């Protein structure tokens, strides 16, 4: 059931970092280049419209070049010596709360940097073609650069507060990009929704930072991870749960998953880069980085596993019923990240595989999203899969690249997903049978809905609308997609060859070999069989049978899945309406009670003085009467005192 | 006088008691009468009565100087001053019994009653069954007047000087208030007689009360043709008389008489 | 007899004077009631002089008389002046200082 105990406790993030020397002093350039690009494009404005997009591409490519050089330099070092920090300046110095502006690069952040800059640059190039008809292309690239800079800051930060800065930055960039076409009401609303739901998650991160300061007295990685095993269980569990909440917000896990499907309102490159490959993986990065905390808090780990499992199934079910190609892919993203979160929650047996799957998922999901963008480009921005069909005949390159991604996500060897997903399923079964079965079921459903998607789009008969003339997309768009498709095909094999990825990441997150009660081959073949069967079922249902152009009513489960398993309805009922009632009540309270008290006091005083002034009636005899009354009171007082 | 004073001794003297009760009664009756009289002149006479009875009480209390001063200064000067002003202001005018301020009368009576009760309680707390008596003090300087003089010019000299200054100030104030500034030069006697001849009525104007039924200053005199004229009424009272109203019945009777007719006897109306 | 009887009489006269001030509307009659109150005080002073056995009370009463005379002079002059302009001696007519 549990990984072998009694062995050496894995070193989790405790490799000591050295001060940056040589080529590692260029760490800050990784962030500075895209930030500069964003500044140029956003501050100089329309003057840069003609050449702005190339600046964006250049900056992203520059970051990628530096990342590759750093990677090669890091490979020269030995396993435990690959962490470097660069101190830029002292950011906060208040009493005992010291937060330096430090950047840290180790194996974990290196793979993320490569993913972000690599996939990012490819998507930048793709966007040059995809957004060529948009007048605001320059602004788009400014925001993309901003996003890349923030995401790099997130993974390169050496303390949680700086990570939070990057965290907020990617949230901002996501909002700006989802609502890029802000004049469309649906886009603006979706952007707002994404930001607000992210905010709820951000509460988790800020609470975690505060708790860390209270518990450990420091928020730097060194300070936290060194003291993690010594802190008391309650604090660690609370920190772990708070971090989980943050991860749920950013990675669209249950219960903060409602924003991801709406985020598809943004342009397709945005969906590919942010909501498939990079931003939504920030939650997984956070959990993997905080492995020291989670290892010491088993309750938090169990919570992580539960959340991951729920979202896994949820995303898969939603993906089955969506007719919008991007929303179906978004459901798939939600589900795959559920896999990663689940793997991260398994502890040292799963961290490496979570990151591994993160990398491969980045490749194949980006491939599929960009492919979907190509399909939309050819079909006049149509997204309804019921109006697609038989596109393999006209869009050959798109079909081939998309299939590469499709096979990868299914887990068909030798494509990438086979290696990463199978390792996760293996680790899940090593943890407990129940978790393993959940992952297996998820794999089956994944195969089904992905086959449905592919069948409805590329196979079957054409159901195109009359004005559609589907054509292949230009080379500017298809070359990056092809590169990504190639990576989807080979990256899994390459990364796991000689256990390279395991050895690379082990010094940072720790690794334990998962122990199965049975032969691992049984698991592999069994998984493959189930996946093939599900795919065949999907093929029969959607490629062989005609697909109705108008969606049929469907069963209760289908209707529920179309309504995102009522996620929005729950949010509305539990949070939005009570919040609205509360604010309405407060407005009423302010108007009636508070203003009423103030105005009432004024009115009271006014009324009283209105009455009181009538005693001054101008008659001397009335005044004399009052005087006599006063004199009588004085005499009475004297008499009483004498008594 | 000294015999009377000598008989006024310590408490218990019957003569003093009789004097007290009679004078007290008279004083209270006078006070009440002053309160309820409708005419101001009656009120003035009533209060004069009260003051005189108080003077008698002063004498019985062993303060003969003060009693005389009360009669001479207070009753004789102050009250007469009141009467003069009443003549000028309108001796006929009566006050209506209706109270214009709501609740004033009841509140006044209740409050004064309460005030009086409180004073009674305060006095009751002071138990003075045995008065020291004034004879000793009177004998110190050889008489009441001498004793008072001693005190005025010895211990209370400053108060005396200050009050004399006050008197002078009061006299000046009265003069200033009664003063009327002349804005035009005074007409000489020559000019006045010239005006009279030019006016067409060079004869003497009737004095007040000629052919009138009442000799109050405010009642206008009747001219020989029976018309009442305001010219006989002093200026401050002119409008008042008009408000009071001319007695038309009398005018009618005079006219009838002058025409040679007989007079029909009419019942005496109450003056309004 | 009880020397306090004089004090009771003084209290009665004072209360009657107070009622008069409040109830009468003619300015001159009001003034007369004030004079009555002053006389009642004088009576009290003189009887206290008798009770305490020294002449100070009588001297004070004397000064009260002086002040009352001065007050009457000025007060009546004022009433005359007001009457000249307003043609009425009623106290209630002078109520312009109302709210």
């Amino acid at each position: 059931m549990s990984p072998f105990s009694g062995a050496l406790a894995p070193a989790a993030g405790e490799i000591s970092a050295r001060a940056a020397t040589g080529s590692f002093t260029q760490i800050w350039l990784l962030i500075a280049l895209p930030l500069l690009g964003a500044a140029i494009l956003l501050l100089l404005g329309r003057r840069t419209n003609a050449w702005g997009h190339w600046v964006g591409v250049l900056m992203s490519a520059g970051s990628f070049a530096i990342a590759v050089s750093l990677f090669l330099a890091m490979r020269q070092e030995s396993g435990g010596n690959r962490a470097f920090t660069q101190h830029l300046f002292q950011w906060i110095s208040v009493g005992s709360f010291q937060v330096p502006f430090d950047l840290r690069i180790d194996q974990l952040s290196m793979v993320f940097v490569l993913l972000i800059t690599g996939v990012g640059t490819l998507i930048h190039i793709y966007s040059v073609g995809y957004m060529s008809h948009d007048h605001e292309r320059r602004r788009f690239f400014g925001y993309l650069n901003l996003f890349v800079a923030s995401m790099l800051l997130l993974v390169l930060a050496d303390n949680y507060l700086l990570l939070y800065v990057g965290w907020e930055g990617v949230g901002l960039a996501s909002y700006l990009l989802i609502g890029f076409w802000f004049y469309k009401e649906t886009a603006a609303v979706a952007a707002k929704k994404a930001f607000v739901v992210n905010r709820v998650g951000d509460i988790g991160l800020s609470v975690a930072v505060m708790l860390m300061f209270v518990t450990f007295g420091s928020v730097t990685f060194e300070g936290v991870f060194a003291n993690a095993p010594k802190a008391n269980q309650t604090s660690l569990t609370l920190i772990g749960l708070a971090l989980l909440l943050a991860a749920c917000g950013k990675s669209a896990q249950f219960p903060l998953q409602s924003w991801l499907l709406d985020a598809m309102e943004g342009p397709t490159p945005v969906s590919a880069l942010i909501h498939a490959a990079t931003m939504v993986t920030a939650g997984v990065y956070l959990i993997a980085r905080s492995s020291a905390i989670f290892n010491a808090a088993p309750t938090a780990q169990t919570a992580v596993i539960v959340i991951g499992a729920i979202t896994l199934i949820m995303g898969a079910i939603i993906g089955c019923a969506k007719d919008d190609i991007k929303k179906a892919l978004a459901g798939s993203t939600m589900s795959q990240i559920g896999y990663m979160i689940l793997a991260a929650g398994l502890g040292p047996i799963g961290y490496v595989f979570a990151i591994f799957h993160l990398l491969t998922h980045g490749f194949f999901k980006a491939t599929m999203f960009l492919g979907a963008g190509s399909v939309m480009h050819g079909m006049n921005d149509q997204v309804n899969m019921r109006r697609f069909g038989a596109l393999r005949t006209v869009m050959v390159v798109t079909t081939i690249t998309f299939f590469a991604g499709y096979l990868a996500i299914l887990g068909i060897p030798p494509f990438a997903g086979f290696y990463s997903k199978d390792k996760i399923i293996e680790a899940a079964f090593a943890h407990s049978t129940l978790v393993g079965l959940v992952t297996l079921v998820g794999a089956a459903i994944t195969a089904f809905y992905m086959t449905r998607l592919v069948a409805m789009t590329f196979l079957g008969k054409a159901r195109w609308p009359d004005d559609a003339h589907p054509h292949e997309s230009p080379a500017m768009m298809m070359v990056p997609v092809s590169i990504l498709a190639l990576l989807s095909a080979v990256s899994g094999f390459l990364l796991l060859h000689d256990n390279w990825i395991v050895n690379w990441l082990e010094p940072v997150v720790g690794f334990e070999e998962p122990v199965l009660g049975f032969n691992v081959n049984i698991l592999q073949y069994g998984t493959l069989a189930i996946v093939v069967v599900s795919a065949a079922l999907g093929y029969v249902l959607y490629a062989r049978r005609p697909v109705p152009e108008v969606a049929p009513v469907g069963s209760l489960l289908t209707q529920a899945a179309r309504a995102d398993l009522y996620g929005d309805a729950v949010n509305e009922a539990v949070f939005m309406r009570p919040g609205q009632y509360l604010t309405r009540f407060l407005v009423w309270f302010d108007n009636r009670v508070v203003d009423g008290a103030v105005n009432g006091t004024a009115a009271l005083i006014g009324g009283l003085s209105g009455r009181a002034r009538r005693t001054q009636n101008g008659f001397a005899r009335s005044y004399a009467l009052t005087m006599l009354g006063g004199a009588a009171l004085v005499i009475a007082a004297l008499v009483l005192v004498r008594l | 006088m000294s015999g009377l004073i000598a008989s006024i001794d310590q408490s218990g003297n019957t003569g003093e008691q009789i004097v007290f009760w009679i004078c007290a009664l008279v004083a209270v009756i006078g006070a009440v009468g002053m309160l309820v009289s409708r005419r101001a002149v009656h009120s003035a006479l009533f209060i004069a009565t009260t003051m005189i009875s108080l003077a008698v009480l002063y004498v019985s209390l062993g303060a003969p100087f003060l009693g005389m001063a009360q009669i001479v200064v207070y009753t004789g000067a102050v009250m007469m001053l009141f009467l003069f002003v009443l003549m000028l202001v309108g001796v006929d005018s009566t006050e209506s019994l209706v109270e214009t301020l709501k609740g004033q009368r009841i509140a006044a009576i209740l409050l004064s009653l309460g005030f009086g009760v409180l004073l009674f309680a305060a006095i009751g707390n002071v138990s003075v069954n045995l008065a020291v008596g004034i004879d000793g003090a009177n004998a110190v300087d050889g008489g009441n007047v001498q004793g008072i003089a001693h005190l005025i010019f010895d211990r209370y000299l400053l108060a005396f000087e200050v009050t004399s200054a006050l008197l002078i100030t009061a006299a000046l104030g009265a003069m200033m208030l009664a003063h009327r500034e002349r804005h035009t030069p005074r007409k000489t006697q020559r000019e006045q007689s010239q005006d009279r001849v030019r006016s067409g009525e060079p004869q003497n104007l009737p004095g007040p009360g000629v052919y009138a039924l009442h000799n109050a200053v405010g009642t206008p005199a009747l001219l020989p043709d029976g018309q009442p004229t305001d010219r006989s009424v002093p200026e401050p009272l002119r409008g008042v008389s008009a408000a009071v109203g001319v007695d038309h019945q009398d005018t009618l009777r005079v006219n009838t008489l002058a025409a040679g007719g007989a007079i029909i006897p009419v019942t005496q109306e109450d003056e309004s | 007899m009880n020397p306090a009887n004089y004090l009771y009489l003084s209290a009665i006269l004072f209360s009657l004077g107070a009622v008069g001030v409040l109830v009468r509307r003619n300015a001159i009659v009001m003034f007369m009631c004030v004079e009555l109150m002053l006389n009642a005080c004088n009576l009290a002073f003189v009887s206290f002089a008798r009770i305490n056995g020294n002449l100070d009370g009588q001297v004070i009463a004397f000064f009260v008389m002086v002040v009352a005379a001065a007050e009457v002079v000025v007060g009546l002059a004022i009433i005359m002046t007001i009457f000249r302009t307003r043609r009425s001696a009623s106290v209630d007519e002078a109520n312009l200082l109302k709210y």
Side-chain angles (χ1 to χ4, degrees), chain A residues 54-96:
Chain A
W54 294 121
V55 170
V57 173
L58 217 62
M59 293 300 170
S60 186
S63 272
F64 180 62
I66 297 177
V68 168
S69 78
L70 286 177
F71 175 64
L72 292 172
M74 202 184 267
R75 284 193 56 169
Q76 310 280 351
E77 308 286 337
S78 63
N81 285 338
R82 283 180 176 148
F84 292 91
T85 57
Q86 186 179 34
H87 177 74
L88 291 178
F89 56 90
Q90 187 67 10
W91 182 24
I92 297 177
S93 176
V94 179
S96 63

Side-chain angles (χ1 to χ4, degrees), chain B residues 68-82:
Chain B
M68 293 307 123
Q70 169 94 347
I71 292 179
V72 169
V73 170
Y74 236 123
T75 321
V78 170
M79 285 322 299
M80 292 310 119
L81 189 57
F82 266 103

Side-chain angles (χ1 to χ4, degrees), chain B:
Chain B
M1 187 62 119
S2 53
L4 180 63
I5 295 168
S7 70
I8 298 167
D9 200 287
Q10 309 264 8
S11 55
N13 193 325
T14 342
E16 191 194 331
Q17 271 194 341
I18 296 172
V19 167
F20 171 76
W21 283 111
I22 294 176
C23 284
L25 213 60
V26 171
V28 172
I29 290 175
V32 173
M34 180 201 72
L35 275 183
V36 302
S37 306
R38 288 182 68 184
R39 292 213 195 195
V41 179
H42 296 172
S43 301
L45 293 175
F46 274 122
I47 192 174
T49 315
T50 304
M51 285 181 182
I52 292 179
S53 67
L54 279 180
V56 175
L57 279 176
Y58 289 162
V59 173
S60 86
L61 274 170
F65 173 70
L66 218 53
M68 293 307 123
Q70 169 94 347
I71 292 179
V72 169
V73 170
Y74 236 123
T75 321
V78 170
M79 285 322 299
M80 292 310 119
L81 189 57
F82 266 103
L83 281 169
F84 284 148
V85 172
L86 272 174
M87 297 300 165
L88 285 172
V89 164
V91 72
D92 277 346
S93 57
T94 55
E95 215 169 294
S96 82
L97 278 179
V98 177
E99 176 62 67
T100 46
L101 298 177
K102 272 187 74 173
Q104 172 87 353
R105 196 171 280 180
I106 299 174
I109 292 174
L110 281 176
L111 258 180
S112 308
L113 207 65
F115 194 82
V117 164
L118 278 171
L119 283 175
F120 269 50
I123 296 168
N125 279 341
V126 177
S127 56
V128 267
N129 260 324
L130 216 58
V132 174
I134 207 73
D135 289 343
N138 276 345
V140 166
D141 283 298
N144 180 257
V145 180
Q146 293 88 327
I148 289 185
H150 185 142
L151 277 175
I152 285 177
F153 289 103
D154 184 348
R155 193 185 305 173
Y156 297 107
L157 181 62
L158 183 62
F160 176 72
E161 295 298 336
V162 169
T163 42
S164 56
L166 174 70
L167 280 171
I168 297 173
T169 315
L172 275 175
M175 266 198 290
M176 209 198 64
L177 281 167
H179 179 65
R180 279 185 175 206
E181 194 68 34
R182 244 185 197 284
H183 298 291
T184 54
R186 194 194 186 89
K187 285 200 170 166
T188 62
Q189 199 172 19
R190 194 184 181 81
E191 283 168 4
Q192 276 182 328
S193 67
Q194 280 173 343
D195 282 340
R196 250 172 107 180
V197 170
R198 274 195 214 109
S199 72
E201 283 183 340
Q203 70 277 17
N204 280 343
L205 292 173
V210 175
Y211 296 130
L213 274 182
H214 311 284
N215 62 357
V217 165
T219 313
L222 296 178
L223 290 173
D225 58 358
Q227 284 295 107
T229 172
D230 260 350
R231 286 180 287 173
S232 69
V233 179
E235 226 225 286
L237 296 173
R238 267 196 197 155
V240 178
S241 311
V244 167
V246 176
D247 198 354
H248 297 289
Q249 289 292 334
D250 277 339
T251 315
L252 197 59
R253 283 164 71 204
V254 167
N255 289 344
T256 321
L257 267 176
I263 308 173
I264 308 148
V266 289
T267 53
Q268 189 83 355
E269 283 180 325
D270 218 3
E271 295 156 338
S272 55

Side-chain angles (χ1 to χ4, degrees), chain C residues 27-44:
Chain C
I28 301 175
V29 177
M30 277 177 81
F31 212 172
M32 281 192 254
C33 297
V34 171
E35 291 304 311
L36 180 60
M37 286 158 81
L38 280 168
N39 272 288
C41 297
N42 269 0
L43 181 61

